[in-house]
C-alpha cells in the first residue's frame, strides 16, 4: 500500500456482524430476530436453539468481534490511521441501527463498512446491505442526517485473510500423529446455502453453476493447498464441503455435508482429516457445534483422527488487511490509483455491488451498491 495514511473521505469504520446470544435468556429472542417475518413459533425456536443451550446460551461470535475491534484499533493507532472504529450487529446487541445512530450523533458523515463475511452471496453480502438500508431509513424517519455508507470489497483472497488460514492448516497437520499425517485429507468447509442462491451469487455475468460463491471458495482452497505444498512438500488431497444446512429438506442445498464426507473418507481408508473452516471469519456457533461437536463426534465414532484448523479471527495480519482495504477504497474515492491486494486467479473484487449482484429473495432496498437509495 501507499505510505499515505489519509482515510478521507471516510471519517469512521463500522464493523458489521451477525450477532449472537450471550446467555440462555438471549437465545430465543435472538433467533426470533434472525427469523423475523417467517412466522416460526417459539417452541420451534427453542428446538432450533438447542445448540446454543449446550454452550450456556453463549455464541463465541461476540467475543471474537470484541477482539477484532481491539485489534483494528491497535493496528490503526500503530500505523497512524486516525479513524474511529465502531461495532454493530444485524441480529443482537449492539444493534446496527443503534450504532449508526451513535455514529451520526458523533458527527460521522462518510462511513466505511467491514462486514464479517468474506464471500459473495445473498446472505453474505446483499442481506447486510439490506440491513444497512433499513437502519438508514430508520434514522431518516427520526429526522436525523443520514450518513453515507460504503461497504468494503470482498476480501476472501486478500493475503491478510488467506495466510492465517494457511498457518492454521499447517498447525493442524503438525498436530496429527506422525504415522497418519502425510496421508491426511483436507476438508475445506463453508456454510451450505441453497443451490439457487449459490448460482445467483456475484455479478450477473458470474451467475450459474455455483456462481461467485463457489468460485471464490475454490480459489481460496487452491491458494491454501498450494502454500501447504510449498511448505511441506506434500500434495494433500482436498475437497470443498459444506456444513450448517437449514431450511426445508425438499430445497436442494450445496453438498456434500461434512459428516457425510467424513464417512466417505473413512470408507475409502483415509487415515486422518483436517477440517478447515475457510468460509468463516471467526468461530461462532456453526463452527463450535457443527465442526467441534457434531463432526468431531462423527469422526470419533468412525475412529478417524481429525483436527479443526483455526479461523482468522483477530489475527494481526487480518487487522492490517482491513487497514489496507480502507486506504485502498479511500484512495479510489480520492481519484488516486490504489494497489488492490489479491491472491489467486480471480483478482480483487468490485468496490460497488452492481445491479443484479446476489439478487434479493424479495424486492428490498439495499445500501452501498449501484442501486442504493442512499448514494
Amino acid at each position: 500500500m501507499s505510505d499515505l495514511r489519509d482515510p478521507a473521505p471516510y471519517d469512521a469504520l463500522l464493523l458489521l456482524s451477525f450477532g449472537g446470544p450471550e446467555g440462555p435468556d438471549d437465545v430465543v429472542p435472538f433467533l426470533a430476530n434472525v427469523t423475523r417475518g417467517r412466522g416460526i413459533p417459539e417452541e420451534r425456536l427453542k428446538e432450533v436453539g438447542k445448540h446454543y443451550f449446550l454452550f450456556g446460551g453463549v455464541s463465541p461470535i461476540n467475543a471474537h468481534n470484541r477482539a477484532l475491534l481491539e485489534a483494528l484499533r491497535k493496528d490503526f493507532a500503530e500505523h497512524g490511521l486516525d479513524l474511529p472504529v465502531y461495532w454493530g450487529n444485524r441480529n443482537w446487541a449492539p444493534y446496527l441501527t443503534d450504532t449508526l445512530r451513535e455514529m451520526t450523533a458523533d458527527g460521522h458523515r462518510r462511513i466505511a463498512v467491514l462486514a464479517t463475511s468474506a464471500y459473495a452471496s445473498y446472505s453474505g453480502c446483499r442481506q447486510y446491505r439490506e440491513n444497512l438500508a433499513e437502519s438508514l431509513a430508520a434514522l431518516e424517519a427520526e429526522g436525523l442526517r443520514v450518513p453515507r455508507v460504503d461497504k468494503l470489497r470482498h476480501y476472501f483472497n486478500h493475503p491478510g485473510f488467506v495466510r492465517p488460514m494457511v498457518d492454521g492448516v499447517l498447525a493442524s497437520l503438525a498436530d496429527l500423529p506422525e504415522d497418519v499425517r502425510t496421508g491426511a485429507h483436507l476438508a475445506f468447509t463453508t456454510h451450505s446455502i441453497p443451490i439457487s442462491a449459490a448460482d445467483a451469487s456475484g455479478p450477473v455475468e458470474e451467475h450459474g453453476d455455483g456462481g461467485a460463491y463457489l468460485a471464490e471458495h475454490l480459489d481460496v482452497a487452491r491458494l491454501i493447498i498450494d502454500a501447504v505444498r510449498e511448505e511441506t512438500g506434500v500434495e494433500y488431497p482436498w475437497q470443498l464441503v459444506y456444513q450448517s444446512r437449514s431450511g426445508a429438506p425438499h430445497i436442494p442445498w450445496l453438498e456434500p455435508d461434512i459428516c457425510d464426507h467424513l464417512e466417505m473418507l473413512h470408507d475409502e481408508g483415509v487415515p486422518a482429516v483436517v477440517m478447515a473452516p475457510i468460509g468463516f471469519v471467526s468461530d461462532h456457533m456453526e463452527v463450535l457445534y457443527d465442526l467441534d461437536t457434531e463432526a468431531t463426534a462423527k469422526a470419533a465414532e468412525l475412529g478417524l483422527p481429525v483436527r479443526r484448523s483455526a479461523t482468522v479471527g483477530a489475527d494481526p495480519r487480518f487487522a492490517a488487511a482491513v487497514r489496507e482495504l480502507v486506504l485502498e477504497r479511500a484512495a479510489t474515492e480520492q481519484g488516486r490509483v490504489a494497489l488492490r491486494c489479491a491472491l489467486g486467479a480471480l483478482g480483487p473484487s468490485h468496490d460497488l455491488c452492481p445491479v443484479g449482484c446476489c439478487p434479493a429473495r424479495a424486492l428490498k432496498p439495499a445500501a452501498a451498491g449501484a442501486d442504493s437509495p442512499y448514494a
Side-chain angles (χ1 to χ4, degrees):
M1 289 297 299
S2 165
D3 288 336
L4 294 175
R5 289 293 177 262
D6 180 10
Y10 300 110
D11 54 25
L13 174 69
L14 169 62
L15 174 64
L16 174 57
S17 194
F18 191 82
E22 300 201 73
D25 294 340
D26 296 344
V27 173
V28 171
F30 163 74
L31 292 173
N33 287 341
V34 173
T35 61
R36 186 182 294 111
R38 302 182 201 173
I40 299 177
E42 183 174 328
E43 288 307 309
R44 175 58 183 158
L45 294 179
K46 290 179 180 177
E47 175 65 20
V48 172
K50 65 183 180 181
H51 299 167
Y52 291 93
F53 291 122
L54 287 174
F55 301 95
V58 179
S59 168
I61 191 171
N62 283 347
H64 279 272
N65 280 326
R66 291 187 184 97
L68 178 56
L69 194 68
E70 290 308 307
L72 291 171
R73 288 169 175 165
K74 182 175 184 291
D75 178 89
F76 287 9
E78 289 176 348
H79 291 84
L81 183 60
D82 184 16
L83 198 71
V85 187
Y86 294 74
W87 169 36
N89 290 324
R90 290 169 46 191
N91 298 298
W92 201 248
Y95 287 103
L96 172 58
T97 302
D98 294 336
T99 299
L100 282 173
R101 187 183 295 110
E102 177 188 0
M103 298 177 80
T104 300
D106 289 346
H108 298 299
R109 297 292 175 259
R110 189 76 181 269
I111 300 167
V113 179
L114 174 76
T116 56
S117 178
Y119 301 86
S121 70
Y122 171 78
S123 57
C125 183
R126 186 177 175 95
Q127 194 169 20
Y128 281 89
R129 294 175 49 224
E130 290 177 355
N131 293 142
L132 283 166
E134 290 170 1
S135 293
L136 294 175
L139 299 188
E140 189 173 48
E142 295 171 11
L144 299 176
R145 181 177 175 183
V146 176
R148 174 167 168 173
V149 297
D150 290 335
K151 182 177 175 290
L152 299 175
R153 67 175 172 91
H154 299 300
Y155 46 83
F156 62 94
N157 56 2
H158 193 288
F161 185 67
V162 174
R163 187 63 218 190
M165 292 190 289
V166 171
D167 290 347
V169 170
L170 289 169
S172 292
L173 285 168
D175 192 49
L176 284 170
E178 188 173 357
D179 60 332
V180 299
R181 187 179 304 145
T182 57
H185 281 226
L186 305 186
F188 296 109
T189 77
T190 191
H191 207 300
S192 183
I193 61 175
I195 291 175
S196 59
D199 290 346
S201 59
V204 172
E205 62 270 18
E206 298 178 25
H207 290 181
D209 295 330
Y213 188 75
L214 180 59
E216 291 170 0
H217 280 87
L218 289 174
D219 204 40
V220 170
R222 293 185 188 105
L223 286 168
I224 296 173
I225 281 294
D226 288 347
V228 169
R229 182 184 61 249
E230 289 176 8
E231 299 202 25
T232 66
V234 180
E235 183 77 41
Y236 286 97
W238 64 276
Q239 186 170 338
L240 178 65
V241 300
Y242 303 93
Q243 59 175 94
S244 314
R245 180 195 163 126
S246 60
H250 68 279
I251 297 175
W253 283 53
L254 293 173
E255 295 179 338
D257 177 77
I258 177 61
C259 288
D260 295 338
H261 186 61
L262 292 176
E263 287 189 347
M264 183 198 74
L265 293 179
H266 173 261
D267 291 344
E268 293 177 353
V270 170
V273 178
V274 169
M275 302 182 293
I278 63 172
F280 304 88
V281 174
S282 67
D283 290 8
H284 46 83
M285 192 52 64
E286 279 87 352
V287 176
L288 194 64
Y289 182 80
D290 296 331
L291 294 184
D292 293 353
T293 305
E294 191 174 49
T296 299
K298 170 58 70 175
E301 173 190 320
L302 297 168
L304 180 64
V306 294
R307 298 293 186 272
R308 194 270 286 180
S309 67
T311 51
V312 174
D315 190 289
R317 291 167 292 184
F318 181 46
V322 174
R323 169 172 42 85
E324 292 184 359
L325 290 169
V326 170
L327 292 172
E328 166 200 300
R329 184 64 181 272
T332 300
E333 295 296 318
Q334 294 166 17
R336 296 189 288 110
V337 176
L339 174 63
R340 297 166 63 81
C341 293
L343 302 173
L346 299 180
S349 185
H350 49 264
D351 281 335
L352 195 67
C353 291
V355 175
C357 190
C358 303
R361 299 166 183 171
L363 187 60
K364 296 177 69 175
D371 55 354
S372 171
Y374 298 100

